[in-house]
Amino acid sequence: MEFPYKGYNVTARSEQQPDGRWLPVADLEIYYGGRTTTKPPLRGQPHEARTSQAEADEAARRMAESWI
């Protein structure tokens, strides 16, 4: 899932864990001053893992919006 938010381009790319659950992960890029800057990925904590990729991607979206 990719979406713009307040000047950032956010990509939710949750990662499947060995136990089958999905960890929320979000990549952030911002275009500013004529160049694109990539921020370090936001990663959820192990206790935030979800049972489906869609749920984890939604959690990653909320995590990114909160950080921004």
Side-chain angles (χ1 to χ4, degrees):
M1 168 187 353
E2 188 173 313
F3 63 95
Y5 185 76
K6 293 186 178 181
Y8 284 82
N9 185 42
V10 179
T11 303
R13 56 168 192 86
S14 299
E15 298 173 350
Q16 192 168 27
Q17 303 301 291
D19 66 2
R21 297 182 308 150
W22 291 84
L23 186 69
V25 178
D27 291 329
L28 294 96
E29 294 180 335
I30 188 165
Y31 184 77
Y32 183 77
R35 65 180 200 176
T36 300
T37 302
T38 302
K39 301 292 184 186
L42 299 175
R43 300 179 58 80
Q45 298 297 314
H47 71 274
E48 297 173 301
R50 304 291 198 264
T51 57
S52 75
Q53 184 177 11
E55 290 174 333
D57 284 349
E58 180 61 24
R61 181 193 62 80
R62 290 190 310 270
M63 186 172 54
E65 288 177 353
S66 177
W67 183 87
I68 293 169

